[in-house]
Coordinates of all heavy atoms in Angstrom, one line a residue:
A280 N -57.2 -51.6 -106.9 CA -57.6 -52.9 -106.4 C -56.5 -53.6 -105.5 O -56.7 -54.7 -105.0 CB -57.9 -53.8 -107.6
V281 N -55.4 -52.9 -105.3 CA -54.3 -53.5 -104.5 C -54.8 -53.5 -103.0 O -55.2 -52.5 -102.5 CB -53.0 -52.7 -104.7 CG1 -51.9 -53.3 -103.8 CG2 -52.6 -52.7 -106.1
Q282 N -54.6 -54.7 -102.4 CA -55.1 -54.8 -101.0 C -53.9 -54.5 -100.1 O -52.7 -54.7 -100.4 CB -55.6 -56.2 -100.8 CG -56.7 -56.6 -101.7 CD -58.0 -55.8 -101.5 OE1 -58.4 -55.5 -100.4 NE2 -58.6 -55.3 -102.6
V283 N -54.3 -54.1 -98.9 CA -53.3 -53.8 -97.8 C -52.6 -55.2 -97.5 O -53.3 -56.2 -97.3 CB -53.9 -53.2 -96.6 CG1 -52.9 -53.1 -95.4 CG2 -54.5 -51.9 -96.9
G284 N -51.2 -55.2 -97.4 CA -50.5 -56.4 -97.1 C -49.9 -57.1 -98.3 O -49.0 -57.9 -98.2
E285 N -50.4 -56.7 -99.5 CA -49.9 -57.4 -100.8 C -48.5 -56.8 -101.1 O -48.2 -55.6 -100.8 CB -50.9 -57.1 -101.9 CG -52.1 -58.0 -101.8 CD -52.9 -58.0 -103.1 OE1 -53.3 -56.9 -103.6 OE2 -53.1 -59.1 -103.7
I286 N -47.7 -57.6 -101.8 CA -46.4 -57.2 -102.3 C -46.5 -56.6 -103.7 O -47.0 -57.3 -104.6 CB -45.4 -58.3 -102.3 CG1 -45.3 -58.9 -100.8 CG2 -44.0 -57.9 -102.8 CD1 -44.7 -57.9 -99.8
V287 N -46.1 -55.4 -103.9 CA -46.1 -54.7 -105.2 C -44.7 -54.6 -105.7 O -43.8 -54.3 -105.0 CB -46.7 -53.3 -105.1 CG1 -46.7 -52.6 -106.4 CG2 -48.2 -53.4 -104.6
L288 N -44.5 -55.0 -107.0 CA -43.2 -54.8 -107.7 C -43.2 -53.5 -108.4 O -44.1 -53.1 -109.1 CB -43.0 -56.0 -108.7 CG -43.1 -57.4 -108.2 CD1 -42.9 -58.4 -109.3 CD2 -42.1 -57.6 -107.1
V289 N -42.1 -52.8 -108.1 CA -41.9 -51.4 -108.8 C -40.6 -51.5 -109.5 O -39.5 -51.6 -109.0 CB -41.9 -50.3 -107.7 CG1 -41.8 -48.9 -108.4 CG2 -43.1 -50.4 -106.8
R290 N -40.7 -51.3 -110.8 CA -39.5 -51.4 -111.7 C -38.8 -50.0 -111.7 O -39.4 -49.0 -111.4 CB -39.9 -51.8 -113.1 CG -40.5 -53.2 -113.2 CD -40.9 -53.6 -114.6 NE -41.5 -54.9 -114.7 CZ -42.8 -55.2 -114.5 NH1 -43.6 -54.2 -114.2 NH2 -43.2 -56.4 -114.6
P291 N -37.6 -50.0 -112.2 CA -36.9 -48.7 -112.3 C -37.6 -47.7 -113.1 O -38.1 -48.1 -114.2 CB -35.5 -49.1 -112.9 CG -35.3 -50.5 -112.5 CD -36.7 -51.1 -112.5
G292 N -37.8 -46.5 -112.7 CA -38.4 -45.4 -113.4 C -39.9 -45.4 -113.3 O -40.6 -44.4 -113.8
E293 N -40.5 -46.4 -112.6 CA -42.0 -46.4 -112.5 C -42.4 -45.5 -111.3 O -41.7 -45.3 -110.3 CB -42.5 -47.8 -112.3 CG -42.4 -48.7 -113.5 CD -43.1 -50.0 -113.3 OE1 -43.3 -50.4 -112.1 OE2 -43.4 -50.7 -114.3
R294 N -43.7 -45.1 -111.3 CA -44.3 -44.4 -110.2 C -44.9 -45.5 -109.2 O -45.4 -46.5 -109.7 CB -45.4 -43.4 -110.6 CG -44.8 -42.2 -111.3 CD -45.9 -41.1 -111.4 NE -45.4 -40.0 -112.1 CZ -44.7 -39.0 -111.5 NH1 -44.5 -39.1 -110.2 NH2 -44.2 -38.0 -112.2
L295 N -44.7 -45.2 -107.9 CA -45.2 -46.2 -107.0 C -46.8 -46.0 -106.9 O -47.3 -44.9 -106.8 CB -44.6 -45.9 -105.6 CG -43.2 -46.5 -105.4 CD1 -42.2 -45.5 -105.8 CD2 -43.0 -47.0 -104.0
P296 N -47.5 -47.1 -106.9 CA -49.0 -47.0 -106.9 C -49.6 -46.9 -105.5 O -50.8 -46.6 -105.4 CB -49.4 -48.3 -107.6 CG -48.3 -49.3 -107.3 CD -47.0 -48.5 -107.2
V297 N -48.8 -47.3 -104.5 CA -49.4 -47.3 -103.1 C -48.3 -46.8 -102.1 O -47.2 -46.7 -102.4 CB -49.8 -48.8 -102.7 CG1 -51.0 -49.2 -103.6 CG2 -48.6 -49.7 -102.9
D298 N -48.8 -46.5 -100.9 CA -47.9 -46.3 -99.8 C -47.5 -47.6 -99.2 O -48.4 -48.5 -99.1 CB -48.6 -45.4 -98.7 CG -48.8 -44.0 -99.1 OD1 -48.5 -43.7 -100.3 OD2 -49.3 -43.2 -98.3
G299 N -46.3 -47.8 -98.8 CA -45.9 -49.0 -98.3 C -44.5 -49.0 -97.7 O -43.9 -48.0 -97.5
T300 N -44.0 -50.2 -97.4 CA -42.6 -50.4 -96.8 C -41.8 -51.3 -97.7 O -42.3 -52.3 -98.2 CB -42.7 -51.0 -95.4 OG1 -43.6 -50.2 -94.6 CG2 -41.4 -51.2 -94.8
V301 N -40.6 -50.9 -98.0 CA -39.7 -51.7 -98.9 C -39.4 -53.0 -98.2 O -38.9 -53.0 -97.0 CB -38.4 -50.9 -99.2 CG1 -37.5 -51.8 -100.1 CG2 -38.8 -49.6 -100.0
T302 N -39.6 -54.1 -98.8 CA -39.2 -55.4 -98.2 C -38.0 -56.0 -98.9 O -37.3 -56.8 -98.3 CB -40.4 -56.4 -98.4 OG1 -40.7 -56.6 -99.8 CG2 -41.6 -55.9 -97.6
A303 N -37.7 -55.6 -100.2 CA -36.5 -56.1 -100.9 C -36.1 -55.1 -101.9 O -37.0 -54.4 -102.5 CB -36.8 -57.5 -101.5
G304 N -34.8 -55.0 -102.2 CA -34.3 -54.1 -103.2 C -33.7 -52.9 -102.6 O -33.8 -52.6 -101.4
R305 N -33.0 -52.2 -103.5 CA -32.4 -50.9 -103.1 C -32.5 -49.9 -104.2 O -32.2 -50.3 -105.4 CB -30.9 -51.2 -102.8 CG -30.1 -50.0 -102.3 CD -28.6 -50.3 -102.1 NE -27.9 -49.2 -101.6 CZ -27.4 -48.2 -102.4 NH1 -27.6 -48.3 -103.7 NH2 -26.7 -47.2 -101.8
S306 N -32.9 -48.7 -103.9 CA -33.0 -47.7 -104.9 C -33.1 -46.4 -104.3 O -32.8 -46.2 -103.1 CB -34.3 -48.0 -105.8 OG -34.4 -47.1 -106.8
A307 N -33.4 -45.3 -105.1 CA -33.7 -44.0 -104.5 C -35.0 -43.5 -105.2 O -35.3 -43.8 -106.3 CB -32.5 -43.1 -104.9
A308 N -35.7 -42.7 -104.4 CA -37.0 -42.3 -104.9 C -37.1 -40.8 -105.0 O -36.6 -40.1 -104.1 CB -38.2 -42.8 -104.0
D309 N -37.7 -40.3 -106.1 CA -37.9 -38.8 -106.2 C -39.2 -38.5 -105.6 O -40.3 -38.9 -106.1 CB -37.9 -38.5 -107.7 CG -38.2 -37.0 -108.0 OD1 -38.4 -36.3 -107.0 OD2 -38.3 -36.6 -109.2
E310 N -39.2 -37.9 -104.4 CA -40.4 -37.6 -103.6 C -40.7 -36.1 -103.7 O -41.5 -35.6 -102.9 CB -40.2 -38.0 -102.2 CG -39.9 -39.5 -102.0 CD -39.8 -39.8 -100.5 OE1 -39.6 -38.9 -99.7 OE2 -39.9 -41.0 -100.2
S311 N -40.3 -35.4 -104.8 CA -40.5 -34.0 -104.9 C -42.0 -33.6 -105.0 O -42.4 -32.6 -104.6 CB -39.7 -33.4 -106.1 OG -40.1 -34.1 -107.3
A312 N -42.8 -34.5 -105.6 CA -44.2 -34.2 -105.7 C -44.9 -34.1 -104.3 O -45.9 -33.4 -104.2 CB -44.9 -35.4 -106.5
L313 N -44.3 -34.8 -103.3 CA -44.9 -34.7 -102.0 C -44.2 -33.7 -101.1 O -44.8 -33.0 -100.3 CB -44.9 -36.1 -101.3 CG -46.0 -37.1 -101.7 CD1 -45.8 -38.4 -101.0 CD2 -47.4 -36.5 -101.3
T314 N -42.9 -33.7 -101.1 CA -42.1 -32.9 -100.2 C -41.5 -31.7 -100.7 O -41.1 -30.8 -100.0 CB -40.9 -33.8 -99.6 OG1 -40.0 -34.1 -100.7 CG2 -41.4 -35.1 -99.1
G315 N -41.4 -31.6 -102.1 CA -40.8 -30.4 -102.7 C -39.3 -30.5 -102.7 O -38.6 -29.6 -103.3
E316 N -38.7 -31.5 -102.1 CA -37.3 -31.7 -102.1 C -36.8 -32.4 -103.4 O -37.4 -33.4 -103.8 CB -36.8 -32.6 -100.9 CG -37.2 -32.0 -99.6 CD -36.4 -30.7 -99.3 OE1 -35.4 -30.5 -100.0 OE2 -36.8 -29.9 -98.4
S317 N -35.9 -31.7 -104.1 CA -35.5 -32.2 -105.4 C -34.5 -33.4 -105.4 O -34.4 -34.2 -106.3 CB -34.8 -31.1 -106.2 OG -33.7 -30.6 -105.5
L318 N -33.8 -33.6 -104.3 CA -32.8 -34.7 -104.2 C -33.5 -36.0 -103.9 O -34.4 -36.1 -103.1 CB -31.8 -34.4 -103.1 CG -30.9 -33.2 -103.3 CD1 -30.0 -32.9 -102.1 CD2 -30.0 -33.4 -104.5
P319 N -33.1 -37.1 -104.6 CA -33.7 -38.4 -104.4 C -33.4 -38.8 -102.9 O -32.4 -38.5 -102.4 CB -33.0 -39.3 -105.4 CG -32.5 -38.4 -106.5 CD -32.1 -37.1 -105.7
V320 N -34.3 -39.7 -102.4 CA -34.2 -40.2 -101.1 C -33.9 -41.7 -101.2 O -34.6 -42.4 -101.9 CB -35.5 -40.0 -100.3 CG1 -35.3 -40.6 -98.8 CG2 -35.8 -38.5 -100.2
E321 N -32.8 -42.1 -100.5 CA -32.4 -43.5 -100.6 C -33.4 -44.4 -100.0 O -34.0 -44.1 -98.9 CB -31.0 -43.7 -99.9 CG -30.5 -45.1 -100.1 CD -29.1 -45.3 -99.4 OE1 -28.8 -44.5 -98.5 OE2 -28.4 -46.2 -99.8
K322 N -33.7 -45.6 -100.6 CA -34.7 -46.5 -100.1 C -34.1 -47.9 -100.0 O -33.7 -48.5 -101.0 CB -35.9 -46.6 -101.1 CG -36.6 -45.3 -101.3 CD -37.2 -44.8 -100.0 CE -38.0 -43.4 -100.1 NZ -38.5 -42.9 -98.9
L323 N -34.0 -48.4 -98.7 CA -33.5 -49.7 -98.4 C -34.6 -50.5 -97.8 O -35.6 -49.9 -97.4 CB -32.3 -49.5 -97.4 CG -31.1 -48.7 -97.9 CD1 -30.1 -48.5 -96.8 CD2 -30.4 -49.4 -99.1
P324 N -34.4 -51.8 -97.6 CA -35.5 -52.6 -96.9 C -35.8 -51.9 -95.5 O -34.9 -51.6 -94.7 CB -34.8 -53.9 -96.7 CG -33.9 -54.1 -97.9 CD -33.4 -52.7 -98.1
G325 N -37.1 -51.8 -95.3 CA -37.6 -51.1 -94.1 C -38.0 -49.7 -94.3 O -38.6 -49.1 -93.4
A326 N -37.6 -49.1 -95.4 CA -37.9 -47.7 -95.7 C -39.3 -47.5 -96.1 O -39.9 -48.3 -96.8 CB -36.9 -47.1 -96.7
R327 N -39.9 -46.3 -95.8 CA -41.2 -46.0 -96.2 C -41.2 -45.4 -97.6 O -40.3 -44.6 -98.0 CB -41.9 -45.0 -95.3 CG -42.1 -45.5 -93.9 CD -43.5 -46.2 -93.8 NE -44.6 -45.3 -94.1 CZ -45.8 -45.7 -94.4 NH1 -46.1 -47.0 -94.5 NH2 -46.7 -44.8 -94.7
V328 N -42.2 -45.8 -98.4 CA -42.3 -45.2 -99.8 C -43.8 -44.8 -100.0 O -44.7 -45.2 -99.2 CB -41.9 -46.2 -100.9 CG1 -40.4 -46.5 -100.9 CG2 -42.7 -47.5 -100.7
Y329 N -44.0 -43.9 -100.9 CA -45.3 -43.2 -101.1 C -45.8 -43.2 -102.5 O -45.0 -43.1 -103.4 CB -45.2 -41.8 -100.6 CG -44.7 -41.7 -99.1 CD1 -43.4 -41.4 -98.9 CD2 -45.6 -41.8 -98.1 CE1 -42.9 -41.3 -97.6 CE2 -45.2 -41.7 -96.8 CZ -43.8 -41.5 -96.5 OH -43.4 -41.4 -95.2
A330 N -47.1 -43.4 -102.6 CA -47.7 -43.4 -104.0 C -47.5 -42.1 -104.7 O -47.5 -41.0 -104.1 CB -49.2 -43.6 -103.8
G331 N -47.2 -42.2 -106.0 CA -47.0 -41.0 -106.8 C -45.5 -40.6 -106.9 O -45.2 -39.8 -107.8
T332 N -44.7 -41.1 -106.0 CA -43.3 -40.8 -106.1 C -42.6 -41.7 -107.2 O -43.2 -42.8 -107.6 CB -42.5 -41.0 -104.8 OG1 -42.7 -42.4 -104.4 CG2 -43.2 -40.1 -103.7
V333 N -41.4 -41.3 -107.7 CA -40.8 -42.0 -108.8 C -39.7 -42.8 -108.3 O -38.7 -42.3 -107.7 CB -40.3 -41.0 -109.9 CG1 -39.7 -41.7 -111.1 CG2 -41.5 -40.1 -110.4
N334 N -39.7 -44.1 -108.7 CA -38.6 -45.0 -108.3 C -37.4 -44.7 -109.2 O -37.5 -44.3 -110.3 CB -39.0 -46.5 -108.5 CG -38.0 -47.5 -108.0 OD1 -37.1 -47.1 -107.2 ND2 -38.0 -48.6 -108.6
G335 N -36.2 -44.9 -108.6 CA -34.9 -44.6 -109.3 C -34.5 -45.7 -110.2 O -35.3 -46.4 -110.9

Side-chain angles (χ1 to χ4, degrees):
V281 178
Q282 302 297 314
V283 174
E285 287 192 301
I286 300 298
V287 177
L288 301 181
V289 186
R290 300 180 179 86
E293 289 185 343
R294 290 193 181 275
L295 280 92
V297 293
D298 287 5
T300 304
V301 176
T302 58
R305 180 182 184 279
S306 185
D309 178 0
E310 298 182 346
S311 57
L313 278 178
T314 66
E316 299 292 344
S317 58
L318 293 176
V320 180
E321 187 177 22
K322 298 299 179 183
L323 301 172
R327 292 274 300 162
V328 291
Y329 303 95
T332 59
V333 181
N334 185 27

